[in-house]
Amino acid sequence: MIPFISCVVAIYNVQEYLNKCIDSLIFQKYDNIEIILVDDGSTDESSSICNEYSERDKRIKVIHQKNQGANVARNVGLFEAKGDWVLFVDGDDFVLPDIFTQLEKFLDAEYDFITLSYNTLKNGRIKNDSKVYCEGEIVHKDEFEKMKFAAVDRFQNDSLFPPACIWNRVYRKEFLVNNNILFIPKFPKLQDLTFNLLVFDKAESAYITNY
């Protein structure tokens, strides 16, 4: 059985982008996924959009909650996730249709997380801006201390791969649960950074791909 992947989408007032976000997940070439849409008290049409998609695709689960912030929404989604791996997506993000097929060969290995490359869209142009830390390599425990410093120092040292992000990696669900790694509620800034510092503190191995 191919690994099961949970896509956790934290959503708050992103009606302008939400259709493209969800479409990019439901039209994946990799079928064994679930999509958990956590509506964090949206006041626009985001809630209705989520409900419409859940009626059309049985892989989609929608959770509506009062507004508590993105970190709480992600924790709720993580708690509900049934997958072997978890991808966190924001409601104004989208991913390429073959993201999981490209990762498939790594998903059966005992990595604690897998890091992807990424593109940025600026002024109508798409550019690959990722600074890869260890391209195409397995990273072990002794490298995670360097990644901690790179994460904290990411604004001053842009030549290093930016380890602060959550949206360009997938995490093994069992690893997160066994180490009680969660997002810090009511922490308004540096949400990705604080989560990944916990990850780097506990992780034993990871794979970094330039895809």
Side-chain angles (χ1 to χ4, degrees), residues 42-187:
S42 296
T43 58
D44 64 0
E45 293 301 314
S46 295
S47 299
S48 298
I49 293 171
C50 290
N51 292 337
E52 291 171 5
Y53 273 95
S54 68
E55 293 174 1
R56 290 159 43 188
D57 195 316
K58 64 182 181 180
R59 297 172 300 172
I60 295 177
K61 178 176 183 177
V62 179
I63 300 170
H64 297 289
Q65 64 180 33
K66 66 178 182 179
N67 181 250
Q68 300 173 71
N71 278 356
V72 173
R74 293 172 184 135
N75 286 341
V76 168
L78 180 58
F79 178 79
E80 293 291 332
K82 304 296 190 297
D84 304 298
W85 293 87
V86 180
L87 172 72
F88 294 103
V89 182
D90 286 340
D92 56 355
D93 291 340
F94 67 93
V95 297
L96 296 179
D98 57 348
I99 182 174
F100 298 136
T101 53
Q102 291 288 335
L103 289 177
E104 188 172 354
K105 59 187 175 182
F106 308 115
L107 296 177
D108 281 328
E110 293 299 318
Y111 303 125
D112 295 317
F113 64 88
I114 300 168
T115 291
L116 299 155
S117 178
Y118 63 90
N119 293 331
T120 57
L121 176 64
K122 186 175 182 180
N123 298 326
R125 299 179 63 185
I126 294 176
K127 181 181 178 182
N128 187 302
D129 273 345
S130 58
K131 307 294 192 298
V132 179
Y133 179 77
C134 294
E135 181 174 318
E137 293 183 3
I138 301 170
V139 182
H140 292 291
K141 188 70 177 177
D142 57 345
E143 293 292 320
F144 293 128
E145 284 299 316
K146 298 177 184 178
M147 295 179 79
K148 286 183 188 178
F149 285 110
V152 174
D153 194 41
R154 71 194 191 288
F155 295 117
Q156 286 74 35
N157 193 352
D158 194 45
S159 65
L160 292 176
F161 153 78
C165 308
I166 60 170
W167 42 258
N168 68 327
R169 58 172 53 92
V170 290
Y171 302 88
R172 185 180 294 280
K173 169 77 182 294
E174 185 180 31
F175 160 72
L176 296 178
V177 171
N178 288 348
N179 290 283
N180 195 31
I181 296 175
L182 295 167
F183 293 89
I184 301 174
K186 298 183 180 179
F187 202 89

